[in-house]
Amino acid sequence: MRVKTLRAVAACAGALLILGGCSLFSSKKTSNQPAPLVEFTQSLKVQPVWKQSIGSAAIFTFSPVVAGDSVFAAAADGTVTRINAANGTVAWRISAGTRLTAGAGSDGNTVAVAGEKGIVLAFDGQGKKIWQAQASSEILSAPAVGQGLVIVRSQDNRIAAYDAATGERRWAVLRTLPPLTLRSAPGILVVPQATFLSLPGGRLSALNLTNGGPWWEMAIGDPRGTTELERVADASGMPVIVGREVCAVAYQGRVGCFDAGSGTSHWAKPFSSDVGVGSDGKNIYAADEHGAVSAFTLDSGAVVWQNKQLANRVLTTPAVLPKAVVVGDFEGYIHFLSRDDGALIARVRADSSAVLPNPVVAGSNVIFQTKSGTLIAIATE
């Protein structure tokens, strides 16, 4: 069993449906151990700017979100926190009144999280609860907030949009759910007029914000193989918009960039990842299921470099700073790779727990959240 299963199928809860239970994996020997940390000469000075304890993620995947000068974060015990992104000062900390399964999403005015049994909760910018709604099933992906809407995807693959001010449901669409999927938290990206979603079955979808109608849908992971497990091909992580391009990746699928308006494929390459992609406007960066970090050119997908020194360390989505591509791992280490050639240039540790998959960049800081509840902002010099 590869180390990636710590996130994807740990304790046989990593899939919505697992045929035959744990026996699917128990016959496989653990042949791919995490690579030991290599020694290198640190050539980039990195410094933790601030650190806050925000509460454990438990078995869920939480994502911090940056809106304006604040970062919002949530924890499984129901804690929701607003923090100054520059200096780490806590503006407020509240209890949602229920245990949470996903969050946070915010545009600075509305903060949304997901509670147990598919409850959607919204708070204003001062932490006051403004509404609560009921989704069709459990929510594992952070709600997306923008353009006056709160958008969620529940585990039955229903996407619903709620009015950010009132909680009234504006529209809902149901997508076909494959028989076996990763129990993951693919991202929802909201831009003017559209929302882009990574979906089970290896689909990247663009929906009209007005009514949820489809603009286009593109396969970035075609299910293949003779067993349901081999046919898992879920789109992963958060898609990214770069100019007129939307780029994404799939587990047991491809990484590629597409025209944001039409879905026309500009390039796609075989790739497998259960986290998203990062970009600096020139390259696309992705970490595959084996822990190799690759840089692809935005225009053609040509491979610029690849680093395999972090093999099987269960890496996060790459975050991009002016001098580095940054990934966290399952032991709480945060690795800085040169944007030029992928060489390791710095390393720090947040804590001893796994770093959650979706870091965010706020100004000159990159912010990571860990499983045990550390929220850390790091800057480079």
Side-chain angles (χ1 to χ4, degrees), residues 65 72-73 80-82 92 104-113 121-127 130 145 150:
V65 63
F72 299 85
V80 184
T81 308
R82 180 174 185 165
W92 49 255
S106 183
D107 61 357
N109 298 312
T110 303
V111 186
V113 293
L121 303 107
F123 305 85
D124 65 18
Q126 286 69 51
I130 51 176
V145 182
V150 173

Side-chain angles (χ1 to χ4, degrees), residues 76-119:
D77 66 358
T79 301
V80 184
T81 308
R82 180 174 185 165
I83 298 169
N84 183 291
N87 59 30
T89 302
V90 174
W92 49 255
R93 193 190 306 267
I94 62 168
S95 172
T98 184
R99 292 187 62 82
L100 301 179
T101 61
S106 183
D107 61 357
N109 298 312
T110 303
V111 186
V113 293
E116 291 181 318
K117 300 180 180 180
I119 295 173

Side-chain angles (χ1 to χ4, degrees), residues 185-222:
I188 305 170
L189 178 65
V190 175
V191 298
Q193 300 183 331
T195 181
F196 297 94
L197 304 100
S198 298
L199 296 174
R203 316 299 291 184
L204 178 64
S205 182
L207 302 180
N208 189 311
L209 276 187
T210 302
N211 55 18
W215 273 10
W216 52 262
E217 190 165 290
M218 174 64 63
I220 57 174
D222 295 317

Side-chain angles (χ1 to χ4, degrees), residues 20-375:
C22 293
S23 61
L24 263 174
F25 303 103
S26 59
S27 63
K28 294 187 179 181
K29 295 181 179 180
T30 303
S31 58
N32 294 331
Q33 295 297 324
L37 297 177
V38 300
E39 297 294 330
F40 64 94
T41 300
Q42 184 157 317
S43 58
L44 179 68
K45 186 175 181 180
V46 299
Q47 179 178 349
V49 178
W50 55 260
K51 184 184 290 190
Q52 287 286 349
S53 179
I54 57 171
S56 168
I59 64 171
F60 302 105
T61 299
F62 287 89
S63 304
V65 63
V66 173
D69 60 0
S70 295
V71 56
F72 299 85
D77 66 358
T79 301
V80 184
T81 308
R82 180 174 185 165
I83 298 169
N84 183 291
N87 59 30
T89 302
V90 174
W92 49 255
R93 193 190 306 267
I94 62 168
S95 172
T98 184
R99 292 187 62 82
L100 301 179
T101 61
S106 183
D107 61 357
N109 298 312
T110 303
V111 186
V113 293
E116 291 181 318
K117 300 180 180 180
I119 295 173
V120 184
L121 303 107
F123 305 85
D124 65 18
Q126 286 69 51
K128 179 182 178 181
K129 185 176 176 181
I130 51 176
W131 55 263
Q132 177 177 315
Q134 180 65 56
S136 55
S137 66
E138 183 183 39
I139 299 168
L140 298 181
S141 302
V145 182
Q147 307 299 310
L149 296 174
V150 173
I151 301 176
V152 299
R153 187 192 75 86
S154 48
Q155 286 300 96
D156 58 3
N157 220 23
R158 188 181 298 271
I159 300 100
Y162 300 88
D163 186 283
T166 66
E168 178 185 0
R169 196 176 76 175
R170 298 272 288 272
W171 52 260
V173 295
L174 180 63
R175 311 299 299 138
T176 301
L177 188 68
L180 184 67
T181 72
L182 296 181
R183 185 178 169 84
S184 60
I188 305 170
L189 178 65
V190 175
V191 298
Q193 300 183 331
T195 181
F196 297 94
L197 304 100
S198 298
L199 296 174
R203 316 299 291 184
L204 178 64
S205 182
L207 302 180
N208 189 311
L209 276 187
T210 302
N211 55 18
W215 273 10
W216 52 262
E217 190 165 290
M218 174 64 63
I220 57 174
D222 295 317
R224 299 177 182 178
T226 58
T227 69
E228 293 295 348
L229 183 62
E230 291 172 338
R231 291 174 59 81
V232 174
D234 291 353
S236 308
M238 180 77 72
V240 297
I241 288 280
V242 190
R244 287 283 302 172
E245 307 268 336
V246 57
C247 303
V249 67
Y251 174 73
Q252 297 190 155
R254 293 173 287 174
V255 60
C257 292
F258 310 87
D259 184 275
S262 67
T264 301
S265 177
H266 291 167
W267 62 268
K269 291 181 177 293
F271 203 82
S272 181
S273 177
D274 62 352
V275 294
V277 297
S279 180
D280 57 8
K282 178 182 178 182
N283 295 329
I284 296 297
Y285 304 94
D288 72 19
E289 61 174 318
H290 305 296
V293 183
S294 299
F296 305 90
T297 59
L298 178 66
D299 57 355
S300 67
V303 177
V304 180
W305 52 258
Q306 186 178 73
N307 184 309
K308 297 183 178 181
Q309 293 174 297
L310 304 174
N312 303 312
R313 296 195 65 84
V314 196
L315 303 182
T316 68
T317 297
V320 185
L321 294 176
K323 296 181 180 179
V325 177
V326 194
V327 292
D329 74 16
F330 79 113
E331 290 185 318
Y333 289 100
I334 297 169
H335 310 271
F336 294 73
L337 283 63
S338 168
R339 278 175 45 174
D340 295 330
D341 59 13
L344 283 167
I345 53 177
R347 180 193 297 140
V348 296
R349 197 175 195 184
D351 59 30
S352 60
S353 69
V355 182
L356 296 177
N358 301 308
V360 292
V361 174
S364 59
N365 297 341
V366 59
I367 301 172
F368 287 87
Q369 184 172 346
T370 72
K371 201 74 168 175
S372 66
T374 297
L375 193 69

